[in-house]
Amino acid sequence: EPPDTPEDFSCHTQDLKRVTCTWREGETYLYGRNSPQYTLSKTSSPKMALCKASCSEQCSCSWDVGQQRIWNVTVTVENPLGKKTATDVFDVNHRMYPTAPFQVWEDCTDTEITLHWNYENNEIELFCQTEVVHPDGKVELHNSSVAHSRRLTVRGLQPHAEYTARVRCGAAAHFWRWSEWSQALTTRTKEGIPSGKLDIWREITPVLGGRNVTLFWKQTPSFQANGKIISYEVTWEKIEDGSKPESISFSAVYNSTRIFIDNHSYRISIMAKNSVHFSLPSVLIISRATDNSRKILFCSFLGTEELKEGQINGTDDGIFISWESRSIYDSYIIDWCNFPRLQPCDLQWKRFGPNISSAVISSAAFVPGVRYKFCIYGSVANRASLLEKKIGYLRELPPHRDPIVRKVDLTYNSVTLSWDSYLTNESETGFVRGYHVYVSPIQGNCNLKGSKKHILSDESELCKYTIENPEEKRYTVKHLMPNTQYKIAVKAFTGGGETPIGYFRYIGTPYKSNILYFVFLVVILPTLVAAMCHWKMKWVKESCCPVIPSPNKSKALSFKEFKVRSLKI
């Protein structure tokens, strides 16, 4: 193909003494002696070449300009199939393209970096620009305000943070193009005083003569260490009598400690320390121990009669908790254990603002089938009071125990089942919502009035009754057939369902009572009477058919005479 017009043809200088022109060559598919030939010349003298072009990634050609400042140059590309040209007219003073700055170094404080650099052409007036990359990846550009300056200060930086900077320059008089960037310099600001406060919390355990207070602390997003934390300082003092404070220091690897205090009110503060100074103190007030203080301080030692535990539910994101907002508090705290079945239980806490009354608590430690207890506190002036307790599951699982049926009362057409109270404790895998009673005759399928059909895995049918009151411990199944064998089972269910039926209890209903009465009257009673009569035949005969006496045989007539009023009878 014939050659294309050279693309991106442009000329520049880096020292006002020598000019370099560059362009991109096109593809002609001709090689060897037929490959394109480039000639750079003054437009007015096309046959007089200014320099010899060389091409690799791009083509370039350089020559000394001497005292001439205005140039009109043409590049010509030619092969056996054609010829094309490109022209550039320029003032050398307006085509300054400086070399990149070198020897970049810095001075640092905790919030400032001052960059220094050098460049080759000291007689050319340049102004420079600095690029600063922050720890979070944010990029900022800063321009030097003074031409020919070889330093620039960047302010408002984070203490003890790593920054990357580089510099480039351009002509101050007739800016045309920035130079290439200098080599990047990575530096770290010096440490500063920690800013913000630690987030602190406590767990109080009453003991003989006082209380054990376990203190916890952690860094929050609002807290800036501004260096490497080397220790934590814990201080506590009585509020009433103004006694001398006690304090203890811990290595940075610790995030909790336990102290003993008596029954007075105490002020506890915790500070973080780096190589420069301490942070501001975080303060907790522990109220005086009274009979009533258990109700407002000790979540773990409250009975259900003092503060009822509310039930809460898990969601896809965690466990949802809501509470009654009260205007007197400036913040709320929720604490819980990540591993409630272990000791220590890994106590966690989270703070909320005064206008918040619900939250979703999430943790990678939460697993289905484990009951978690959440204590909600209101805080005012660093003094916390227990408000509510909640218990719930990330996801409920079926109960792992069945109710124990203690009593079975049978009639010819019903059975009454009584079972023990279902013990619910922290080891349960869900909240018991009620019970299911399953009934089926041993022979055939069940079709009892008031029941629902339930199909087992082996496709056999059961009658199912649902009891939605978990406090119920008695149920009567009606409409049974007399003199029939049945199998029964009682299952507890939670929000996670119930386990498969493992075994049945077998019962048999008696005959219907009126049939037995009829049999007794018609058969049994006459038979008993006949047997009795046969056994007492003589007595019956004498009682029912006595011998009639004969007057001729009466002894009354054996008297020789018997007179009544002188009459002989």
Side-chain angles (χ1 to χ4, degrees):
E1 295 179 355
D4 292 327
T5 301
E7 296 182 5
D8 301 329
F9 179 53
S10 173
C11 301
H12 64 266
T13 180
Q14 293 184 320
D15 54 9
L16 300 180
K17 299 176 182 178
R18 189 171 180 83
V19 170
T20 299
C21 293
T22 59
W23 64 91
R24 289 191 298 115
E25 64 175 337
E27 180 60 69
T28 62
Y29 304 101
L30 292 174
Y31 307 100
R33 60 188 181 89
N34 293 322
S35 61
Q37 302 297 316
Y38 293 95
T39 303
L40 186 68
S41 62
K42 291 182 180 181
T43 304
S44 59
S45 305
K47 295 184 179 180
M48 184 180 296
L50 293 172
C51 56
K52 184 178 181 180
S54 62
C55 297
S56 55
E57 293 183 2
Q58 69 173 3
C59 297
S60 65
C61 189
S62 301
W63 75 97
D64 294 330
V65 295
Q67 298 300 318
Q68 185 176 341
R69 286 293 173 259
I70 305 299
W71 289 82
N72 185 347
V73 297
T74 299
V75 62
T76 302
V77 56
E78 184 177 7
N79 72 8
L81 299 179
K83 178 172 69 173
K84 291 289 176 65
T85 62
T87 300
D88 189 15
V89 180
F90 59 92
D91 185 333
V92 175
N93 293 324
H94 295 186
R95 292 291 181 93
M96 186 64 195
Y97 178 46
T99 58
F102 64 98
Q103 292 180 345
V104 180
W105 73 98
E106 88 289 344
D107 293 323
C108 289
T109 67
D110 58 339
T111 59
E112 295 181 356
I113 296 176
T114 299
L115 294 170
H116 305 263
W117 60 87
N118 284 320
Y119 42 76
E120 291 181 353
N121 300 312
N122 296 326
E123 67 277 7
I124 301 174
E125 192 174 75
L126 304 175
F127 80 98
C128 299
Q129 184 181 71
T130 301
E131 179 191 76
V132 179
V133 181
H134 289 247
D136 60 0
K138 179 183 176 182
V139 178
E140 288 184 354
L141 296 175
H142 300 267
N143 294 328
S144 58
S145 58
V146 179
H148 220 63
S149 175
R150 303 189 184 197
R151 58 179 289 173
L152 186 144
T153 299
V154 182
R155 297 179 174 84
L157 305 180
Q158 299 177 21
H160 197 62
E162 190 174 273
Y163 293 86
T164 300
R166 57 184 183 173
V167 183
R168 63 183 179 180
C169 299
H174 304 283
F175 179 83
W176 180 64
R177 185 185 294 181
W178 288 111
S179 70
E180 295 296 322
W181 287 107
S182 68
Q183 194 170 17
L185 173 71
T186 299
T187 187
R188 181 179 292 274
T189 52
K190 293 183 178 180
E191 292 193 7
I193 298 174
S195 62
K197 298 179 181 180
L198 295 171
D199 187 3
I200 65 174
W201 191 233
R202 85 295 185 274
E203 186 178 41
I204 304 174
T205 307
V207 294
L208 183 63
R211 295 159 290 179
N212 282 334
V213 180
T214 303
L215 299 168
F216 304 89
W217 56 88
K218 63 184 177 182
Q219 297 182 15
T220 62
S222 62
F223 176 84
Q224 298 294 328
N226 293 337
K228 182 179 181 182
I229 298 300
I230 57 178
S231 65
Y232 296 99
E233 189 87 5
V234 179
T235 303
W236 63 99
E237 59 181 326
K238 287 183 183 179
I239 296 177
E240 287 92 347
D241 58 9
S243 59
K244 183 179 179 181
E246 298 180 68
S247 64
I248 189 171
S249 183
F250 295 92
S251 167
V253 299
Y254 293 96
N255 63 359
S256 67
T257 187
R258 176 179 292 177
I259 62 174
F260 172 81
I261 61 175
D262 58 28
N263 292 320
H264 291 85
S265 297
Y266 275 81
R267 180 183 185 274
I268 301 173
S269 65
I270 303 178
M271 299 181 292
K273 185 180 185 299
N274 63 13
S275 62
V276 178
H277 206 270
F278 288 99
S279 68
L280 294 173
S282 299
V283 178
L284 279 175
I285 303 297
I286 306 296
S287 299
R288 186 183 186 89
T290 62
D291 292 338
N292 194 50
S293 66
R294 288 167 61 95
K295 297 181 181 180
I296 62 174
L297 292 178
F298 309 144
C299 180
S300 301
F301 295 90
L302 278 172
T304 55
E305 71 280 357
E306 295 174 312
L307 191 64
K308 187 174 178 62
E309 293 178 333
Q311 293 185 2
I312 51 180
N313 300 316
T315 67
D316 292 338
D317 300 320
I319 298 177
F320 177 78
I321 301 175
S322 62
W323 60 91
E324 182 183 348
S325 180
R326 298 165 175 85
S327 60
I328 62 172
Y329 297 112
D330 53 36
S331 65
Y332 297 95
I333 302 100
I334 299 178
D335 71 11
W336 70 93
C337 286
N338 268 343
F339 305 100
R341 298 175 182 175
L342 302 178
Q343 288 297 331
C345 70
D346 188 23
L347 183 72
Q348 302 291 316
W349 73 97
K350 192 170 183 179
R351 293 182 181 271
F352 301 91
N355 299 321
I356 297 177
S357 59
S358 65
V360 174
I361 303 298
S362 59
S363 171
F366 288 167
V367 294
V370 174
R371 179 180 296 183
Y372 298 94
K373 180 167 68 175
F374 299 86
C375 298
I376 304 166
Y377 299 82
S379 178
V380 57
N382 300 317
R383 196 183 301 261
S385 303
L386 180 63
L387 303 179
E388 300 179 33
K389 291 201 299 182
K390 308 281 188 178
I391 54 174
Y393 298 83
L394 180 66
R395 189 176 77 249
E396 294 183 54
L397 298 180
H400 48 66
R401 293 183 296 111
D402 292 332
I404 300 176
V405 178
R406 295 296 187 185
K407 188 177 180 182
V408 178
D409 294 325
L410 284 167
T411 68
Y412 73 93
N413 68 344
S414 69
V415 57
T416 300
L417 306 172
S418 302
W419 56 86
D420 291 342
S421 297
Y422 197 91
L423 298 177
T424 57
N425 52 45
E426 294 184 356
S427 65
E428 288 302 324
T429 57
F431 298 119
V432 174
R433 314 283 181 173
Y435 303 93
H436 287 143
V437 176
Y438 296 95
V439 181
S440 178
I442 295 178
Q443 300 294 330
N445 294 325
C446 184
N447 190 20
L448 296 177
K449 183 179 179 181
S451 67
K452 293 184 178 179
K453 185 180 294 186
H454 180 76
I455 308 298
L456 295 178
S457 57
D458 61 359
E459 298 186 357
S460 59
E461 294 183 7
L462 301 177
C463 286
K464 176 182 177 180
Y465 299 88
T466 300
I467 306 166
E468 295 184 345
N469 180 10
E471 303 298 324
E472 187 65 59
K473 299 181 286 293
R474 178 186 176 93
Y475 189 76
T476 298
V477 180
K478 300 178 181 180
H479 308 295
L480 302 181
M481 296 294 294
N483 191 29
T484 305
Q485 296 294 312
Y486 287 91
K487 56 183 179 181
I488 59 174
V490 180
K491 302 286 292 184
F493 66 88
T494 67
E498 65 185 30
T499 56
I501 300 174
Y503 65 91
F504 289 93
R505 185 165 183 163
Y506 294 87
I507 60 169
T509 54
Y511 284 100
K512 191 173 182 179
S513 58
N514 56 358
I515 295 177
L516 293 175
Y517 182 69
F518 176 79
V519 171
F520 177 78
L521 289 178
V522 173
V523 179
I524 297 178
L525 186 60
T527 302
L528 288 174
V529 170
M532 184 65 71
C533 290
H534 179 75
W535 181 41
K536 294 289 187 177
M537 182 62 70
K538 183 178 180 181
W539 176 82
V540 171
K541 184 177 179 180
E542 290 180 352
S543 298
C544 297
C545 302
V547 178
I548 300 175
S550 173
N552 293 326
K553 296 179 180 180
S554 173
K555 293 180 180 180
L557 300 180
S558 64
F559 295 106
K560 290 186 176 180
E561 74 181 14
F562 184 72
K563 291 182 178 181
V564 177
R565 297 177 182 176
S566 300
L567 294 177
K568 183 180 179 180
I569 297 175

